[in-house]
Amino acid sequence: MAALLSAASSCESAATSPSPRPPLPAQPRLELHADDAEVWAWSARIQGALAGPGALEDCVVRVGSDEIPAATGQRQFSADVPLLEGENEIVARCRETGSGDLASPPVTYHVRLRDAPKARARAAWADGKLLLDAASSEPSERSRAEVVAFEWLRLRDPATPERIGLGPRLELPAADAADPALYELRVQDERGRSDAARVAPPPDARPGANARAWIDDAIVYGVVPPFFGDPPLESVRAALPALEELGVTAIWLSPLFGAPPGDFGYAVTDYFAVRPDYGTERDLRELVDEAHRRDIRVLLDLVPNHTSAEHPYFRQAEQRQGRSHTFAFYDRDDGGEPTHYFDWEHLPNLNYDNAEVERWMLEVSLHWVRRFGIDGYRVDAAWGIKDRRSALWSTWAEELRRVNPELSLIAEASARDPYYLENGFDAAYDWTEELGHWAWEDVFSAPRGVAARLGAALSATAARASRPERTLRFINNNDTGARFITRHGPGMTRVAAAALLTLPGIPCIYSFDELGAEYEPYGGLEPVSRPARGPLARHYERLIRLRRSTAALRAPGLLTVHAGPDDEILAYLRHGDDASRFALVVLNFSDRPARKRIVLPEPFAGHARGGLRDGLSGAPARLHGRSLALDLAPWDVRVLVPR
């Protein structure tokens, strides 16, 4: 009976339970194909689509209080919308045929640009007067607010600028425009926004003017801040007196922008921040100011070819793909995958066909010049951008020098390629035609024949470089692995350092070369163990002092002098236009003594009849006719100048 009752109950329950409900119809909704983003432009293309059933009619995109009509299809829409400085809330509104008005969820585009005028200063000589002209200055970029005020200052001492006049055009008597002079133009628009530019008078138009840039006479010192101590930037500042005493005229700081912990710095995650493990913005500003007080210029290492894979722009692009505004910031192959060089998978290449990327990196470059007063950049992987967008560098350099015409720009690329000096750079690396290969790389590969191989390397660079004296020369840098002294010993280091500091080019000494420190740059960001100051440091000091005091050693002229069949001895004359001012450099790349007779060519021999003096030791030397007899010790260095 119980079983029957249970069965009846089950039947009754089944008969009375409700049947499954059909699914509710999908509701139409409006979507933007965009996420919140930073933007480096005054306009953006906004696209979206209808999700769910129906069809679209009229669509507008609302930016703040402005509504911009959108091109509308049955299910998609797009509009090119103007943007304002700062945050822009963007919402799309459309009429859908069945449901009426729809609105998309909002997104925010943050425009990182500043709507300000652009100062442009020109200088020219006419009828013995210096003409300063601001007529090419431009109104504010987005608002087009007109420039209404012009102020001119003379910067003989940049710390105390001297106001010299108002108005878009100024005439100065030649006596008032004497060297050293740099002029600054400050403009202001009708909304109170301002900008500044600098200009130097054309040097070739003034009698006796010196057309050399400061980089021509520079002794560059490569600085990796954490190698100097902790905190890094404060430690570098504390080292400036020693660098000044050494004779350094410019320091090149390894990348100090935001980067992953432990990274050397070429994987940038924030181009506008000083990495906190190095110090603060105040630390950097105090370092630059102190360097300038000691007449030491400061170059930063700029990394524009790629970002870190951990950069927020790249992470957003990989996570959101086409919805990400920054997806197109990165160079991609035909399959949409980001490109990179070598095994640098963590360093995706930037896409310089994208106008926002170009503007972003320009603003990065200007930021450190304007905010900290730096004196130039060493530009990492400049060759990569040349290959992908060869037209970029000349316009970039022009814009930087609008702000400071004395900036120096060094390309990490081969000096044998004339492209770089033709497109705004002052110098490039002492590389062969093969990417990243040091021109002297094989010179020291065997203990014998060094002089012959070095002579061949110098000749190859001279034959291809448009200006061999604008070659950045080095025996160590961040990419040369174990230090030169570790690989080749103190004797060879002594002679190689002499070559570095007496050849045409821009010599670059790297962190603690002069002390003979032994380390590998990518071995870790820790303070480097430094030997006490000894003979090698004194050797560097004497060489630098001699280079700075001897015009011939900074001139472009190089003439190899025959030193006999022994290919361990390299001799060369360094000279400018005046043959009476020269230096004869003789280097013994050998652990064996040698006796050499060197014949000086005319007219140099004629200017040495009164004898020669060794600029390093002070020892005299006398010609017999045109020949000079020298007894060279192992690893000997002679730099002989007319008495």
Side-chain angles (χ1 to χ4, degrees):
M1 183 62 139
L4 290 173
L5 289 173
S6 175
S9 175
S10 297
C11 291
E12 183 180 348
S13 175
T16 59
S17 62
S19 59
R21 293 180 180 177
L24 294 173
Q27 296 298 309
R29 65 185 187 279
L30 207 58
E31 294 182 343
L32 289 179
H33 295 164
D35 289 322
D36 294 348
E38 290 186 342
V39 179
W40 297 92
W42 294 112
S43 64
R45 167 154 288 197
I46 301 300
Q47 297 177 310
L50 176 68
L56 296 177
E57 293 182 346
D58 294 334
C59 291
V60 296
V61 177
R62 187 167 190 167
V63 183
S65 59
D66 295 332
E67 288 191 345
I68 294 88
T72 307
Q74 187 174 14
R75 302 187 60 80
Q76 296 179 328
F77 62 91
S78 66
D80 292 320
V81 301
L83 301 173
L84 295 171
E85 181 180 332
E87 292 192 352
N88 295 260
E89 185 178 83
I90 299 171
V91 176
R93 298 184 183 278
C94 296
R95 182 177 300 111
E96 191 272 318
T97 53
S99 302
D101 291 343
L102 299 175
S104 71
V107 299
T108 300
Y109 275 13
H110 184 91
V111 173
R112 292 289 305 269
L113 303 176
R114 183 171 179 268
D115 187 25
K118 182 176 288 188
R120 291 192 183 277
R122 300 285 186 267
W125 292 96
D127 299 325
K129 295 180 179 180
L130 179 64
L131 307 180
L132 300 177
D133 190 350
S136 57
S137 298
E138 300 171 15
S140 296
E141 194 171 0
R142 190 205 182 277
S143 67
R144 308 307 295 172
E146 291 296 325
V147 178
V148 295
F150 303 84
E151 180 183 22
W152 294 96
L153 302 100
R154 182 187 285 116
L155 304 177
R156 284 198 177 104
D157 178 2
T160 56
E162 173 192 359
R163 182 176 173 181
I164 57 173
L166 301 174
R169 185 177 172 87
L170 202 63
E171 283 190 4
L172 298 177
D176 291 345
D179 278 338
L182 192 67
Y183 296 91
E184 182 167 286
L185 167 67
R186 297 178 182 176
V187 303
Q188 189 174 87
D189 70 13
E190 55 195 357
R191 301 174 309 142
R193 295 291 181 94
S194 61
D195 189 37
R198 292 181 178 180
V199 66
D204 56 350
R206 288 173 289 173
N210 184 358
R212 292 172 66 85
W214 66 261
I215 197 73
D216 287 307
D217 300 323
I219 307 291
V220 179
Y221 195 95
V223 170
V224 184
F227 291 178
F228 282 70
D230 189 27
L233 291 178
E234 287 186 21
S235 299
V236 175
R237 183 184 174 194
L240 288 175
L243 294 177
E244 180 185 24
E245 183 178 353
L246 180 62
V248 168
T249 65
I251 58 174
W252 151 36
L253 298 172
S254 66
L256 48 74
F257 314 124
D263 185 84
F264 192 84
Y266 293 108
V268 180
T269 56
D270 187 345
Y271 286 91
F272 292 94
V274 174
R275 55 188 295 174
D277 54 334
Y278 280 19
T280 65
E281 286 195 354
R282 179 177 178 178
D283 294 331
L284 177 60
R285 187 171 291 106
E286 290 178 349
L287 166 59
V288 173
D289 290 346
E290 180 66 21
H292 287 169
R293 280 192 287 271
R294 297 178 181 276
D295 291 327
I296 296 174
R297 310 265 184 162
V298 179
L299 303 173
L300 296 190
D301 202 327
L302 185 68
V303 189
N305 176 74
H306 52 259
T307 72
S308 168
E310 296 183 33
H311 193 287
Y313 289 176
F314 187 73
R315 293 175 65 181
Q316 183 188 53
E318 292 303 284
Q319 291 167 3
R320 304 297 290 170
Q321 295 291 301
R323 288 181 63 91
S324 168
H325 183 74
T326 59
F327 184 82
F329 280 22
Y330 290 90
D331 188 65
R332 297 181 182 276
D333 61 22
D334 292 341
E337 294 299 314
T339 68
H340 59 82
Y341 292 115
F342 308 117
D343 59 350
W344 302 348
E345 293 186 13
H346 65 301
L347 303 176
N349 290 332
L350 287 167
N351 173 23
Y352 278 92
D353 288 332
N354 184 299
E356 283 191 66
V357 171
E358 181 177 348
R359 184 62 183 270
W360 170 32
M361 281 300 147
L362 176 60
E363 295 299 325
V364 167
S365 308
L366 291 170
H367 171 82
W368 300 93
V369 174
R370 285 171 167 154
R371 190 173 177 87
F372 297 93
I374 65 151
D375 302 289
Y377 291 108
R378 175 267 188 191
V379 182
D380 183 64
W383 47 267
I385 296 174
K386 178 222 173 185
D387 287 348
R388 302 197 306 278
R389 179 85 186 286
S390 64
L392 173 81
W393 286 130
S394 59
T395 55
W396 173 81
E398 181 181 359
E399 182 63 13
L400 282 178
R401 292 200 175 98
R402 177 185 70 83
V403 175
N404 184 356
E406 295 187 331
L407 282 176
S408 279
L409 305 171
I410 300 173
E412 191 204 17
S414 176
R416 297 183 185 182
D417 184 347
Y419 162 90
Y420 297 97
L421 267 62
E422 292 169 357
N423 285 273
F425 286 97
D426 295 288
Y429 268 45
D430 193 12
W431 282 356
T432 67
E433 293 81 0
E434 192 173 355
L435 188 61
H437 283 265
W438 180 30
W440 297 9
E441 188 172 326
D442 295 328
V443 165
F444 305 97
S445 58
R448 301 294 174 226
V450 170
R453 290 191 295 271
L454 179 56
L458 295 172
S459 296
T461 296
R464 295 170 176 81
S466 56
R467 294 185 64 183
E469 73 276 14
R470 289 291 185 88
T471 300
L472 185 76
R473 299 199 190 276
F474 50 87
I475 59 174
N476 284 314
N477 66 25
N478 53 300
D479 288 323
T480 51
R483 301 295 82 184
F484 189 95
I485 196 168
T486 304
R487 289 177 283 131
H488 303 293
M492 188 69 79
T493 298
R494 184 177 188 277
V495 188
L500 173 71
L501 288 158
T502 59
L503 283 165
I506 301 159
C508 180
I509 304 163
Y510 208 70
S511 294
F512 315 122
D513 280 353
E514 76 284 5
L515 300 178
E518 299 189 66
Y519 62 91
E520 296 205 26
Y522 298 139
L525 296 179
E526 302 293 337
V528 166
S529 175
R530 292 157 249 177
R533 182 180 177 276
L536 184 61
R538 290 189 288 274
H539 181 59
Y540 267 94
E541 287 175 5
R542 286 192 293 266
L543 286 165
I544 293 171
R545 191 179 306 117
L546 185 60
R547 183 182 180 95
R548 293 185 64 179
S549 64
T550 306
L553 293 176
R554 305 190 309 277
L558 174 68
L559 178 63
T560 302
V561 180
H562 183 59
D566 187 347
D567 60 3
E568 310 308 325
I569 310 298
L570 182 64
Y572 48 87
L573 280 163
R574 297 283 284 107
H575 62 91
D577 294 333
D578 185 355
S580 68
R581 298 176 179 272
F582 68 88
L584 172 64
V585 180
V586 185
L587 307 175
N588 182 9
F589 287 96
S590 169
D591 59 358
R592 298 175 296 183
R595 167 166 282 200
K596 288 293 168 185
R597 183 171 297 277
I598 296 174
V599 178
L600 266 65
E602 293 290 358
F604 301 102
H607 293 291
R609 302 298 184 209
L612 299 168
R613 174 182 58 84
D614 191 334
L616 294 173
S617 68
R622 183 168 294 279
L623 287 179
H624 297 280
R626 289 171 46 209
S627 67
L628 177 69
L630 293 175
D631 288 315
L632 301 173
W635 313 118
D636 206 351
V637 172
R638 306 286 181 93
V639 184
L640 302 162
V641 296
R643 297 180 69 177

